[in-house]
Amino acid sequence: MVLTRSFVRAKRPCTDGFRWFVRQFNDGGHYQELLDQMVAAGRVGDACWLLEQFGPTDEVREVDAIDAEAIVFSGTLRVRGGIDVDGIVRVGRRLQAGGGLRVGGELIVGEDVRIEGAVRAEGRIEIGGDLRAGWGVDCAGDLHCRGEARVGWDLRCAGRLRLDGNTFVGLDLHGQDDIRCGKGLQVGGDIVAESSLRAEQGITAGGSIEAALHLEAGWGIKADAVVAAGGAIRAGEGLHAGEAIRAGDGYGVFAGLGVHMEAWEASARVSAAHKPAGLMSGWWAGPAAC
């Protein structure tokens, strides 16, 4: 794609940015070459603006490894090794790497992200498709994945965590703000939410599930150890813990909220080592059903 001066002017760029564009490129140039030269000149913000205005392309770039100040690429970027970037990474379509990914700023990808190693970002992460990480994911800002997420090791997020699709985490999940999952959430170890935790479908953990505020699932909740919240615990179906179920002081434990009362014995069973205090709904099945 060739971007001409008049084509860019029609998008109403800022005066300083457009003057720089005219000085450097005169009548214009190839879309991705313009992005590369802007990044090389330190005008990463202008490159991101250009990508926002003209959108992704079908261009594919394959390289052995990347060690750069910033990346702004309009198409699909395939890296056989690792990626180490001090600033922002912005990719219009897909991002793939055979090694790890370290980003000193924001990571924004229009479609899927597939990383064989670990992912670490010092800014927010926004992914328009699926996220696949062979090792762990560590995000120092907000994280929003609009597709399915599969993380081999830990998933840690210092901001708000939004996972629109089914989510699978091999070890622990730790969120320092709200955690929202648009489908089911399955974690091999512990789930710790330092605010509230909600999944539209079920929540399953191989360890404990703990939320500092409310804990809610549209389907069932199951943990091999403890299920605990500082607020209310609400499950659309059953609620199971290998050890204790604990809501916050003055809050209740609710199971079967999405099930007819006549079906509670089959579909809204509550089981734990001891009957939870404040059990407001559901069928208490006792510890034998754990």
Side-chain angles (χ1 to χ4, degrees):
M1 181 193 302
V2 175
L3 300 185
T4 64
R5 181 193 303 190
S6 60
F7 203 10
V8 174
R9 183 190 290 119
K11 296 294 184 178
R12 303 181 66 181
C14 68
T15 301
D16 177 67
F18 187 66
R19 286 175 177 170
W20 184 89
F21 175 87
V22 171
R23 287 196 304 269
Q24 297 296 317
F25 309 117
N26 194 12
D27 288 332
H30 185 272
Y31 185 17
Q32 186 56 52
E33 291 177 357
L34 299 179
L35 294 175
D36 290 341
Q37 291 184 50
M38 287 178 174
V39 171
R43 301 187 73 93
V44 178
D46 289 343
C48 291
W49 177 87
L50 203 66
L51 181 58
E52 290 169 359
Q53 300 304 310
F54 295 100
T57 68
D58 294 329
E59 184 168 348
V60 177
R61 177 178 292 176
E62 297 189 13
V63 298
D64 289 331
I66 293 178
D67 186 348
E69 292 295 322
I71 297 173
V72 181
F73 190 74
S74 60
T76 293
L77 186 58
R78 296 173 181 164
V79 183
R80 287 178 280 273
I83 301 173
D84 193 336
V85 177
D86 292 334
I88 190 172
V89 171
R90 186 79 177 265
V91 177
R93 291 206 184 277
R94 293 176 293 279
L95 175 63
Q96 302 173 15
L101 169 62
R102 187 197 71 85
V103 183
E106 297 178 339
L107 171 63
I108 304 174
V109 181
E111 297 179 4
D112 297 342
V113 174
R114 298 177 184 271
I115 307 298
E116 295 299 323
V119 176
R120 178 175 178 81
E122 298 299 329
R124 69 185 176 102
I125 297 177
E126 185 169 338
I127 299 170
D130 295 341
L131 168 63
R132 299 285 191 278
W135 296 4
V137 174
D138 193 341
C139 178
D142 295 344
L143 191 159
H144 186 186
C145 175
R146 290 184 168 83
E148 183 178 275
R150 287 183 176 270
V151 178
W153 294 1
D154 293 343
L155 170 56
R156 298 182 179 276
C157 180
R160 299 174 65 192
L161 180 57
R162 297 291 180 271
L163 304 159
D164 293 352
N166 287 310
T167 299
F168 305 87
V169 179
L171 298 179
D172 296 339
L173 169 61
H174 188 172
Q176 294 184 25
D177 205 321
D178 289 343
I179 299 176
R180 296 288 183 270
C181 184
K183 291 188 177 180
L185 176 60
Q186 182 176 333
V187 176
D190 296 332
I191 301 174
V192 177
E194 296 190 22
S195 185
S196 60
L197 167 61
R198 174 178 172 79
E200 295 299 324
Q201 297 180 3
I203 302 175
T204 303
S208 294
I209 302 173
E210 300 183 24
L213 297 178
H214 302 303
L215 169 60
E216 185 172 358
W219 296 359
I221 299 174
K222 183 179 186 298
D224 288 353
V226 172
V227 174
I233 298 175
R234 305 184 185 95
E237 298 179 2
L239 178 56
H240 306 271
E243 298 177 13
I245 298 173
R246 296 192 299 267
D249 291 343
Y251 289 97
V253 176
F254 303 85
L257 294 176
V259 177
H260 196 281
M261 291 178 64
E262 292 181 356
W264 276 3
E265 185 176 1
S267 301
R269 299 171 71 86
V270 179
S271 57
H274 303 283
K275 186 175 182 178
L279 179 61
M280 308 301 292
S281 64
W283 182 275
W284 171 242
C290 292

